[in-house]
Amino acid sequence: MNFSEVFKLSSLLCKFSPDGKYLASCVQYRLVIRDVNTLQILQLYTCLDQIQHIEWSADSLFILCAMYKRGLVQVWSLEQPEWHCRIDEGSAGLVASCWSPDGRHILNTTEFHLRITVWSLCTKSVSYIKYPKACQQGIAFTRDGRYMALAERRDCKDHVSIFVCSDWQLLRHFDTETQDLAGIEWAPNGCVLAVWDTCLEYKVLLYSLDGRLLSAYCAYEWSLGVKSVAWSPSSQFLAVGSYDGKVRILNHVTWKMITEFGHPATVNNPKTVVYKEAEKNPQLALGRLAFPAPRAAASPASNTESKYEIASAPVSLQTLKPIADRANPKIGVGALAFSPDNYFLATRSGQWLRPAPGPLTLSFEPQCSDPRRRKPDSVPNAVWIWDIQKLRLFVVLEQLSPVRSFQWDPQQPRLAICTGGSKVYLWSPAGCLSVQVPGEGDFQVLSLCWHFSGDSMALLSKDHFCLCFLETEERVGTAFGRPGDHT
């Protein structure tokens, strides 16, 4: 494993182009385009204000930079660096901006979600879509780019409109049986649209392309409901993460639940492999005594080396008691991701939050049997990996710090994890490892993103980023030096 040098970054804005040739990063109001293989700067663009969002077009020929505070979007061309486009929403303001699948239209959402403006880069025409709903995921495109589903709110009622992306004509419009629609998501095959309700009402609805209700699912009532939703790559399964700390798997034939995965504080099954991250104890030289380093000279805990140890069942995991009297409780399954081969599902029970002073406490209090009153514990340090073929828990990885994010390799079942420290963690069915990110100072990995080939990934900190290369010597570019420089 090799690492590039460290580059400056702002607001965690760093993205690979869809074709894998370029890497875009932002430093305040500057947009930097680099060659992925050499990391040499190809283009340097200057925007009118600090960039808050970037997005590549599907063909990697254009990139947009959104400046929400100014209500501006600037578009740059990779083929014609002298060409650029500026979109000013004026007094209407701007809260979101994205590309259409053809890479030639930009959809801007105005403040208060009054409308969506569709700007054409080819004809310079402008069209408007009314009544977009303010929710966490209100726009969804099919993977083939033919259709767009839009969540709407009209006359105090939720609706979904389906548009044809080639000419933005309305194909279907139907109301949904939701109290307060929270999100929509197409199945990868584009045949089924999943719609879920607010967390106060447990409801998942499945609609066909022509607006027919295929099924409605409700796991329980009178308690916080759906927190996260994820489709499997094959479209055969829909995973629903709930606030009760369980993941329920729906099948694509009957749309009924085939199994549910819990996240208990103790793993009792001896067939489940539990990896625990542990700090390495450096070996002392014979005849020498170790004295504690002065406080000023002591290195931060995130710089200490660590390794994984296999724990024997039963294994107790570190848990946090949720604070019941505050809004947005840090409970429930907040992260779901299927592996690209459809074999595994990775989950995290409990949301990342700034840890309180002192270690996490183990909870041994008995759980209430009534799901309406039960407050599940948060397990923020663990990543759970489930075998989808056998529908059982396969592996648990418990970190020393709360898990910030994880992401699957796009090409194989290999999971990358970061916890906000100076290490990155990798798991595959062959095993797992902890890797220290080299460099001066404390490089805290807050987020990461894979290259589509799976042979490299970008590691992002608050003010910097670097690339991590995971392939053989023949594939190492000039930016990464010789293999063996950093391991």
Side-chain angles (χ1 to χ4, degrees):
M1 183 178 293
N2 297 279
F3 293 85
S4 73
E5 62 179 295
V6 175
F7 303 97
K8 290 184 177 181
L9 184 69
S10 297
S11 305
L12 300 180
L13 294 177
C14 181
K15 291 186 178 181
F16 290 103
S17 61
D19 63 6
K21 296 180 180 180
Y22 310 109
L23 177 66
S25 61
C26 295
V27 183
Q28 301 297 327
Y29 55 88
R30 291 187 177 93
L31 174 67
V32 184
I33 307 297
R34 299 178 185 273
D35 181 276
V36 164
N37 294 321
T38 65
L39 291 184
Q40 297 297 313
I41 296 178
L42 301 179
Q43 299 294 339
L44 180 62
Y45 302 108
T46 302
C47 294
L48 297 175
D49 204 340
Q50 182 169 344
I51 303 169
Q52 295 174 271
H53 172 69
I54 60 173
E55 186 173 329
W56 286 96
S57 62
D59 55 10
S60 303
L61 298 180
F62 297 92
I63 185 169
L64 70 80
C65 301
M67 291 144 277
Y68 297 136
K69 294 179 181 179
R70 292 275 298 269
L72 291 175
V73 172
Q74 289 186 263
V75 187
W76 307 95
S77 169
L78 272 294
E79 289 186 333
Q80 303 176 26
E82 67 281 357
W83 179 93
H84 75 279
C85 169
R86 172 182 169 182
I87 300 174
D88 190 345
E89 293 291 347
S91 59
L94 182 68
V95 296
S97 182
C98 68
W99 286 101
S100 66
D102 65 358
R104 295 301 180 269
H105 294 82
I106 294 174
L107 283 69
N108 285 344
T109 305
T110 62
E111 286 187 347
F112 308 110
H113 285 74
L114 298 178
R115 71 187 183 203
I116 292 179
T117 309
V118 182
W119 301 83
S120 172
L121 298 185
C122 299
T123 64
K124 299 182 181 180
S125 61
V126 181
S127 56
Y128 301 98
I129 302 176
K130 296 181 179 180
Y131 313 115
K133 181 178 175 60
C135 56
Q136 63 181 12
Q137 190 172 334
I139 298 178
F141 294 98
T142 55
R143 185 164 294 185
D144 59 10
R146 297 179 62 186
Y147 305 106
M148 178 189 79
L150 175 68
E152 300 178 351
R153 187 74 173 179
R154 304 186 184 187
D155 302 325
C156 301
K157 179 71 176 177
D158 291 329
H159 301 262
V160 169
S161 290
I162 299 177
F163 295 87
V164 180
C165 294
S166 59
D167 55 9
W168 301 106
Q169 293 298 312
L170 181 64
L171 178 67
R172 289 288 186 274
H173 174 76
F174 54 91
D175 60 343
T176 61
E177 300 178 8
T178 53
Q179 297 294 326
D180 186 9
L181 188 152
I184 58 177
E185 180 69 29
W186 285 105
N189 60 15
C191 296
V192 180
L193 179 70
V195 177
W196 58 97
D197 213 332
T198 174
C199 63
L200 300 177
E201 183 80 17
Y202 199 117
K203 187 179 292 185
V204 179
L205 306 171
L206 288 309
Y207 290 93
S208 64
L209 185 61
D210 59 4
R212 290 181 295 111
L213 179 62
L214 301 176
S215 182
Y217 176 74
C218 176
Y220 53 81
E221 295 179 335
W222 315 116
S223 187
L224 293 178
V226 178
K227 186 168 186 178
S228 56
V229 172
W231 285 98
S232 66
S234 64
S235 303
Q236 292 177 300
F237 304 109
L238 178 66
V240 182
S242 310
Y243 277 90
D244 68 345
K246 295 183 179 180
V247 177
R248 293 165 175 86
I249 307 297
L250 310 184
N251 73 85
H252 73 295
V253 179
T254 63
W255 299 115
K256 304 297 182 183
M257 187 186 75
I258 56 176
T259 190
E260 66 178 21
F261 298 142
H263 296 76
T266 303
V267 179
N268 295 309
N269 191 342
K271 294 183 179 180
T272 300
V273 180
V274 180
Y275 293 98
K276 280 181 171 284
E277 184 188 5
E279 294 183 358
K280 285 185 179 179
N281 294 321
Q283 297 294 328
L284 298 177
L286 184 63
R288 301 180 63 180
L289 297 177
F291 295 93
R295 179 169 298 183
S299 59
S302 58
N303 280 335
T304 59
E305 294 185 0
S306 68
K307 62 179 181 179
Y308 280 109
E309 296 178 347
I310 299 179
S312 301
V315 182
S316 296
L317 305 176
Q318 293 177 310
T319 62
L320 280 177
K321 278 292 184 183
I323 301 176
D325 59 349
R326 292 186 182 180
N328 302 318
K330 310 299 182 182
I331 59 174
V333 181
L336 296 170
F338 282 92
S339 62
D341 58 4
N342 210 64
Y343 279 19
F344 301 104
L345 172 68
T347 64
R348 183 192 65 203
S349 178
Q351 186 175 341
W352 178 88
L353 70 163
R354 295 185 184 275
L360 295 174
T361 58
L362 288 174
S363 172
F364 297 100
E365 297 182 14
Q367 294 284 353
C368 174
S369 60
D370 187 350
R372 294 173 296 179
R373 300 179 59 190
R374 182 168 62 238
K375 295 293 188 298
D377 290 341
S378 174
V379 193
N381 289 25
V383 175
W384 311 67
I385 300 175
W386 308 85
D387 187 328
I388 296 302
Q389 289 189 327
K390 298 181 180 179
L391 297 177
R392 68 176 182 89
L393 182 59
F394 188 60
V395 167
V396 178
L397 291 89
E398 186 181 34
Q399 310 298 134
L400 291 174
S401 302
V403 175
R404 286 291 299 251
S405 66
F406 55 78
Q407 194 175 103
W408 287 102
D409 182 331
Q411 301 297 328
Q412 57 180 300
R414 180 167 57 180
L415 188 70
I417 304 169
C418 66
T419 62
S422 59
K423 290 178 280 293
V424 62
Y425 309 91
L426 293 172
W427 174 87
S428 73
C432 57
L433 72 159
S434 167
V435 182
Q436 178 76 32
V437 179
E440 299 179 359
D442 186 16
F443 188 96
Q444 297 181 340
V445 185
L446 303 180
S447 184
L448 52 86
C449 60
W450 284 94
H451 187 273
F452 84 93
S453 65
D455 58 10
S456 64
M457 59 181 169
L459 307 179
L460 316 180
S461 73
K462 180 181 178 182
D463 301 312
H464 298 87
F465 79 93
C466 70
L467 257 62
C468 171
F469 199 78
L470 298 95
E471 271 295 338
T472 57
E473 181 178 357
E474 292 76 16
R475 302 288 298 277
V476 177
T478 59
F480 300 95
R482 298 184 304 275
D485 290 346
H486 305 292
T487 56

